[in-house]
Each structure stands twice: as structure tokens, then as C-alpha cells.
Amino acid sequence: MNTADLGLPVDVPSTALFTDQYELTMLRAALKAGTAGRRSVFEVFTRRLPDGRRYGVVAGTGRVLDAVENFRFDADVLRFLREKDIVDGETLDYLAQYRFSGDIWGYPEGEVYFPGSPIMRVEGTFGECVLLETVILSILNHDSAIAAAASRMSSAAGDRPLIEMGARRTHELAAVAAARSAYVGGFATTSDLAAGFRYNIPTVGTSAHAFTLLHDDERDAFRAQVDALGRDTTLLVDTYDVAEAVRTAVEVAGPELGAVRIDSGDLLLVAHRVRQQLDELGATDTKIVVTSDLDEYAIASLAAAPVDAYGVGTQLVTGSGHPTASMVYKLVARAGSGRPDDAAAPLVPVAKKSSGGKTSVGGRKWAARRLDAHGYAEAEVVGTGPVPAALADRQLLVELVKGGEVVAREPLDAARDRHAAARANLPLSATQLSRGEPVIPTEYLHGGSGS
């Protein structure tokens, strides 16, 4: 069973304080003004992709659903807010009863996105929606950044599997989220046991240089590992002399040795030498795993090398140079002043007017992906009002939460498979690592508020 199906809470009493103070002060002021109950629509989008990226990857949706379910102001949290004089009594009463009762629509996890894509749409009263801004953005920005890096790496790796091994390079809870996002983006396994436990991601791991250094010589270390883990284990061969280590590894484990790992040096050159040596020793089925601060460019440079798997750490969990997806959460529509609390009240598009590239497009939006004659994506179409008939069956947003209840929880493998299909549906240039613009343009159609 995939524990992602269970809606498990994060390892804190609640997610309610994963927020910025101004969300609570806005709520306080809106309650006083009588506008907190006004029907509102917020959308998550990004104005641009990270420099040089051709597409983005939606990740963290399942974690957002968990966070919304567990967004509860318990007694300890309320006491903190009262003692710090962050909110007044009326707001405390509101928060004590807080349960998100609105609707959330979004791109399904694993889908690709582009500038302006309405990645997630949150609908309800202003009060209940505004409180979710920070927790939603913190999850989607982190997880989508990691998934995008993972996608580029898995594309560069081709059919060769990737191992996520970045837990020691980031915060302990971020490491679990990163492993999850990497799996969505195409990684096959993780070294992080918390990620394996929580999300049922396959886990791997054998030994580090410390294990070799513990023993009097390399042969003793290899023998101890093989005795404990079997001949199919992976032996680390670059602690001292690689050629000598490979020879010793095959002598100890025999030609049935599962794999050797190389963690330093000129990986392209060393991999060729090790492959030749293994074959000469009769270990023709022994695989070669390479690690050592890899990113998508290093992986691509090893495409012609006799490498069977890659282990990636630092560059993955830091988004390979882009640790955030730069998503924002903006109010795009609200009920008019006539019947602000009426769920059927017409929506009025609203948008910030600003210079410096921070403008946004008002109105409750839909999104669809138009295909070319060959069935590949050619444009991301974002609009308000009625959806054109030609795009009706190409809509991207799905219902995630209805009336406060999660309706779209799914196994993580579903998101992983969806991403593989979505990436395959993009033009071939999407997988190029050279810098370029988004692989398809975003087109806007305006047709009213979309209420």
C-alpha cells in the first residue's frame, strides 16, 4: 500500500503555522470590515520559467492535499497567537473553527506547465483561502523545482536508472519531499529511508568509504560486505586504487558481483577502464554505478560511457541551480459588492497593476493544451469564460478538493507515469539541455470572469 493514499500529516501537530503573519492580519482586517466571507478565487502560477528551462513539472500536489486537510488551529497554536498578540479575539474564534470548505482545482501531479499556467486554483471565502497561501507555495515551489531538475536528469540518463541520494545535503524534512519529487520526475530509487517508509519509494544503499577504511585492508571490507549482503551487492572501488579494488572485488564476490560504484575521478575515463577490466575478469554482468556531484550536464556527458546507473545528490535537492519554481498565489477574482457572501454571486476579475514584470491576468481561468497534426503539444491555451469546443477535451485542471473534501488522492506512481507521458507529448526540443525559451508558447483567450 502506498502511504501517500492515507493523507498522513506532516511530522508537526498541524500545518496551520506554516504561514506568514500577514495572512492572519489580513484575515483580522477582513473580518472587521465584513469582507472575509466574500467569495474569492486565488490562482497559483509562475510568470516565467527558470532561466534556460523549457518546461516546468508540477510536483507536491499530494502533499498540498495533506497540508490542507491538516490545516487546523489547535489549542497550543491559538494560545501562541493570543499571547503574542498577533490576532484579536474575533479572529481567534474564527481560527478555532477553521476548516477549509472550498474547492481546489489544479494541474494533476506530474503534469508539465508553462508561464501563466493556472497550476492550482483555490476557491472559497477570502478568509479561508488567504490563509493557505504560504503553505501551498512552499510545497509547490520546492517540490516542482526538484521535479523539474529530476526530469531533466532522467531525460539525460535515458534508460539508465537514477538513484536519489541527497538527504545529507538538505534539511531532513526537505530531503523526504525531495525524494518524493525526484521519483515523480523519473528517478527510480532513493537512499532516504523516511521517503521509502512514507511514500513507498524503492530504497537502495550499500556502503561508504568509511566501511572500507574501518577494515585492515580492502579485501577484508569487501568480504565482510559480501558475507552480509550477498554477491549481488555493490562494492565501492575508489577508496585507494581503482584497478586493484576491481580485481579484489571480483576475486571476493566472483563474476556474480552485482555492481561496483565509482565516486571520484574522471568518470568517463574510469568507467571505460573499469568496464574493460570487469569483462576481462569474466564479470561481464557486473554493473557500474557512478556518483560524485552529478547534474544533468554531467549525466549527458556520460551517455557514451559504459555506465549502468547514476547516483545524484546535491545538484538534485538544490534544483540543479534553481531551488524554487518562483510560483505566486494571487487573487484573480472575487464576488461583486452586491452579494459578496452568495456562492452564486457573479465574479469580478481583479489583478495587480505593476511595473517590473509583476503584472498578472485577472479572472477565473481554465487551461488546455492544443496539439499539432502529429499529436504533440503546440500551445498552452489559458482563458476565462467559456472553453472553446475544440479544446473541451484537452483541459488540464482537475478537481482536487470539493466542498473541503479531498477527491483526487492517488498513488505516487500515477504521478510518475503521468509525467513520463506528459514529457513525451512535448516537442523533441523540450529535452535539449541547451538554453532556450519555453518549448511551447502560452496563449490567452479572454471571455469574461469565468464564474
Side-chain angles (χ1 to χ4, degrees), residues 8 33 71 91 145 164 258 266 277 290 324 348 370 383 397 404 414 416:
L8 298 177
F71 202 89
T91 309
E164 185 283 313
D266 183 335
Q277 186 180 10
V290 296
T324 177
V348 177
R370 192 172 69 237
L397 279 79
R416 174 184 168 86

PDB file of all heavy atoms in Angstrom, residues 8 33 71 91 145 164 258 266 277 290 324 348 370 383 397 404 414 416:
ATOM      1  N   LEU A   8      -1.448  11.205   5.315  1.00  0.00           N
ATOM      2  CA  LEU A   8      -0.754  11.334   6.592  1.00  0.00           C
ATOM      3  C   LEU A   8      -0.309  12.771   6.829  1.00  0.00           C
ATOM      4  O   LEU A   8       0.126  13.453   5.918  1.00  0.00           O
ATOM      5  CB  LEU A   8       0.473  10.411   6.603  1.00  0.00           C
ATOM      6  CG  LEU A   8       0.179   8.919   6.480  1.00  0.00           C
ATOM      7  CD1 LEU A   8       1.494   8.143   6.441  1.00  0.00           C
ATOM      8  CD2 LEU A   8      -0.657   8.448   7.655  1.00  0.00           C
ATOM      9  N   ALA A  33     -13.886  44.304   8.606  1.00  0.00           N
ATOM     10  CA  ALA A  33     -14.534  45.046   7.521  1.00  0.00           C
ATOM     11  C   ALA A  33     -15.765  44.332   6.972  1.00  0.00           C
ATOM     12  O   ALA A  33     -16.501  44.901   6.168  1.00  0.00           O
ATOM     13  CB  ALA A  33     -13.532  45.287   6.399  1.00  0.00           C
ATOM     14  N   PHE A  71      -4.658  21.559   8.153  1.00  0.00           N
ATOM     15  CA  PHE A  71      -4.538  22.980   8.490  1.00  0.00           C
ATOM     16  C   PHE A  71      -5.559  23.282   9.580  1.00  0.00           C
ATOM     17  O   PHE A  71      -6.710  23.651   9.318  1.00  0.00           O
ATOM     18  CB  PHE A  71      -4.793  23.828   7.241  1.00  0.00           C
ATOM     19  CG  PHE A  71      -4.217  25.212   7.314  1.00  0.00           C
ATOM     20  CD1 PHE A  71      -2.925  25.469   6.884  1.00  0.00           C
ATOM     21  CD2 PHE A  71      -4.970  26.264   7.809  1.00  0.00           C
ATOM     22  CE1 PHE A  71      -2.385  26.754   6.943  1.00  0.00           C
ATOM     23  CE2 PHE A  71      -4.449  27.549   7.873  1.00  0.00           C
ATOM     24  CZ  PHE A  71      -3.155  27.797   7.450  1.00  0.00           C
ATOM     25  N   THR A  91     -10.816  37.057  15.637  1.00  0.00           N
ATOM     26  CA  THR A  91     -10.030  36.237  14.712  1.00  0.00           C
ATOM     27  C   THR A  91      -9.684  34.898  15.337  1.00  0.00           C
ATOM     28  O   THR A  91      -9.698  33.861  14.659  1.00  0.00           O
ATOM     29  CB  THR A  91      -8.748  36.987  14.301  1.00  0.00           C
ATOM     30  OG1 THR A  91      -9.090  38.300  13.854  1.00  0.00           O
ATOM     31  CG2 THR A  91      -8.039  36.250  13.172  1.00  0.00           C
ATOM     32  N   ALA A 145      10.413  22.514  -8.239  1.00  0.00           N
ATOM     33  CA  ALA A 145      11.800  22.788  -8.620  1.00  0.00           C
ATOM     34  C   ALA A 145      12.622  21.502  -8.654  1.00  0.00           C
ATOM     35  O   ALA A 145      13.405  21.268  -9.585  1.00  0.00           O
ATOM     36  CB  ALA A 145      12.421  23.793  -7.656  1.00  0.00           C
ATOM     37  N   GLU A 164      18.278   8.643  -6.124  1.00  0.00           N
ATOM     38  CA  GLU A 164      18.270   9.889  -5.359  1.00  0.00           C
ATOM     39  C   GLU A 164      19.035   9.660  -4.067  1.00  0.00           C
ATOM     40  O   GLU A 164      18.719   8.760  -3.306  1.00  0.00           O
ATOM     41  CB  GLU A 164      16.821  10.301  -5.070  1.00  0.00           C
ATOM     42  CG  GLU A 164      16.680  11.643  -4.391  1.00  0.00           C
ATOM     43  CD  GLU A 164      17.011  11.609  -2.903  1.00  0.00           C
ATOM     44  OE1 GLU A 164      16.519  10.684  -2.205  1.00  0.00           O
ATOM     45  OE2 GLU A 164      17.763  12.490  -2.443  1.00  0.00           O
ATOM     46  N   GLY A 258      27.325  -7.963  -8.121  1.00  0.00           N
ATOM     47  CA  GLY A 258      26.234  -7.163  -8.666  1.00  0.00           C
ATOM     48  C   GLY A 258      26.694  -5.902  -9.365  1.00  0.00           C
ATOM     49  O   GLY A 258      26.336  -5.645 -10.521  1.00  0.00           O
ATOM     50  N   ASP A 266      37.974  11.093 -13.084  1.00  0.00           N
ATOM     51  CA  ASP A 266      37.408  11.323 -14.411  1.00  0.00           C
ATOM     52  C   ASP A 266      36.465  10.161 -14.711  1.00  0.00           C
ATOM     53  O   ASP A 266      36.891   9.084 -15.148  1.00  0.00           O
ATOM     54  CB  ASP A 266      38.529  11.399 -15.442  1.00  0.00           C
ATOM     55  CG  ASP A 266      38.041  11.715 -16.845  1.00  0.00           C
ATOM     56  OD1 ASP A 266      36.865  11.418 -17.149  1.00  0.00           O
ATOM     57  OD2 ASP A 266      38.839  12.233 -17.649  1.00  0.00           O
ATOM     58  N   GLN A 277      38.141  -3.932 -17.583  1.00  0.00           N
ATOM     59  CA  GLN A 277      38.729  -4.817 -16.587  1.00  0.00           C
ATOM     60  C   GLN A 277      37.720  -5.866 -16.111  1.00  0.00           C
ATOM     61  O   GLN A 277      38.048  -7.054 -15.990  1.00  0.00           O
ATOM     62  CB  GLN A 277      39.255  -4.007 -15.409  1.00  0.00           C
ATOM     63  CG  GLN A 277      40.009  -4.845 -14.386  1.00  0.00           C
ATOM     64  CD  GLN A 277      40.530  -4.007 -13.224  1.00  0.00           C
ATOM     65  OE1 GLN A 277      40.182  -2.832 -13.083  1.00  0.00           O
ATOM     66  NE2 GLN A 277      41.367  -4.605 -12.380  1.00  0.00           N
ATOM     67  N   VAL A 290      27.879   5.192 -11.072  1.00  0.00           N
ATOM     68  CA  VAL A 290      28.738   6.354 -10.841  1.00  0.00           C
ATOM     69  C   VAL A 290      27.989   7.381  -9.996  1.00  0.00           C
ATOM     70  O   VAL A 290      26.784   7.575 -10.132  1.00  0.00           O
ATOM     71  CB  VAL A 290      29.221   6.996 -12.160  1.00  0.00           C
ATOM     72  CG1 VAL A 290      30.105   6.038 -12.926  1.00  0.00           C
ATOM     73  CG2 VAL A 290      28.045   7.447 -13.026  1.00  0.00           C
ATOM     74  N   THR A 324      13.875  27.074  -6.548  1.00  0.00           N
ATOM     75  CA  THR A 324      12.454  27.410  -6.445  1.00  0.00           C
ATOM     76  C   THR A 324      11.874  27.519  -7.843  1.00  0.00           C
ATOM     77  O   THR A 324      12.583  27.834  -8.807  1.00  0.00           O
ATOM     78  CB  THR A 324      12.236  28.725  -5.686  1.00  0.00           C
ATOM     79  OG1 THR A 324      10.825  29.029  -5.676  1.00  0.00           O
ATOM     80  CG2 THR A 324      12.971  29.876  -6.340  1.00  0.00           C
ATOM     81  N   VAL A 348     -15.977  39.094 -10.180  1.00  0.00           N
ATOM     82  CA  VAL A 348     -15.355  40.250 -10.812  1.00  0.00           C
ATOM     83  C   VAL A 348     -13.859  39.970 -10.944  1.00  0.00           C
ATOM     84  O   VAL A 348     -13.187  39.704  -9.937  1.00  0.00           O
ATOM     85  CB  VAL A 348     -15.570  41.517  -9.956  1.00  0.00           C
ATOM     86  CG1 VAL A 348     -14.862  42.710 -10.593  1.00  0.00           C
ATOM     87  CG2 VAL A 348     -17.050  41.795  -9.781  1.00  0.00           C
ATOM     88  N   ARG A 370      -3.211  22.637 -26.669  1.00  0.00           N
ATOM     89  CA  ARG A 370      -3.543  22.383 -28.070  1.00  0.00           C
ATOM     90  C   ARG A 370      -2.450  21.531 -28.718  1.00  0.00           C
ATOM     91  O   ARG A 370      -1.259  21.745 -28.484  1.00  0.00           O
ATOM     92  CB  ARG A 370      -3.697  23.701 -28.821  1.00  0.00           C
ATOM     93  CG  ARG A 370      -4.322  23.525 -30.210  1.00  0.00           C
ATOM     94  CD  ARG A 370      -4.634  24.851 -30.865  1.00  0.00           C
ATOM     95  NE  ARG A 370      -3.421  25.574 -31.230  1.00  0.00           N
ATOM     96  CZ  ARG A 370      -3.138  26.791 -30.806  1.00  0.00           C
ATOM     97  NH1 ARG A 370      -3.955  27.413 -29.974  1.00  0.00           N
ATOM     98  NH2 ARG A 370      -2.021  27.391 -31.188  1.00  0.00           N
ATOM     99  N   GLY A 383      -7.481  30.645 -20.579  1.00  0.00           N
ATOM    100  CA  GLY A 383      -8.564  31.563 -20.865  1.00  0.00           C
ATOM    101  C   GLY A 383      -9.530  31.740 -19.719  1.00  0.00           C
ATOM    102  O   GLY A 383      -9.494  31.038 -18.708  1.00  0.00           O
ATOM    103  N   LEU A 397      -6.927  21.274 -15.916  1.00  0.00           N
ATOM    104  CA  LEU A 397      -7.240  21.300 -14.492  1.00  0.00           C
ATOM    105  C   LEU A 397      -8.214  20.188 -14.123  1.00  0.00           C
ATOM    106  O   LEU A 397      -9.164  19.910 -14.853  1.00  0.00           O
ATOM    107  CB  LEU A 397      -7.840  22.644 -14.080  1.00  0.00           C
ATOM    108  CG  LEU A 397      -6.834  23.778 -13.834  1.00  0.00           C
ATOM    109  CD1 LEU A 397      -6.377  24.382 -15.151  1.00  0.00           C
ATOM    110  CD2 LEU A 397      -7.436  24.867 -12.956  1.00  0.00           C
ATOM    111  N   GLY A 404     -14.370  21.129   0.531  1.00  0.00           N
ATOM    112  CA  GLY A 404     -13.464  20.863   1.649  1.00  0.00           C
ATOM    113  C   GLY A 404     -12.976  19.443   1.759  1.00  0.00           C
ATOM    114  O   GLY A 404     -12.119  19.138   2.593  1.00  0.00           O
ATOM    115  N   ALA A 414       1.178   6.995 -10.023  1.00  0.00           N
ATOM    116  CA  ALA A 414       0.306   7.598 -11.033  1.00  0.00           C
ATOM    117  C   ALA A 414       0.894   8.930 -11.500  1.00  0.00           C
ATOM    118  O   ALA A 414       0.870   9.248 -12.699  1.00  0.00           O
ATOM    119  CB  ALA A 414      -1.097   7.796 -10.464  1.00  0.00           C
ATOM    120  N   ARG A 416       4.079   9.769 -11.350  1.00  0.00           N
ATOM    121  CA  ARG A 416       5.316   9.442 -12.065  1.00  0.00           C
ATOM    122  C   ARG A 416       5.008   9.045 -13.508  1.00  0.00           C
ATOM    123  O   ARG A 416       5.657   9.514 -14.456  1.00  0.00           O
ATOM    124  CB  ARG A 416       6.026   8.315 -11.317  1.00  0.00           C
ATOM    125  CG  ARG A 416       7.260   7.746 -11.992  1.00  0.00           C
ATOM    126  CD  ARG A 416       7.772   6.570 -11.150  1.00  0.00           C
ATOM    127  NE  ARG A 416       8.782   5.788 -11.838  1.00  0.00           N
ATOM    128  CZ  ARG A 416      10.077   6.080 -11.838  1.00  0.00           C
ATOM    129  NH1 ARG A 416      10.506   7.126 -11.181  1.00  0.00           N
ATOM    130  NH2 ARG A 416      10.939   5.311 -12.476  1.00  0.00           N
TER     131      ARG A 416
END
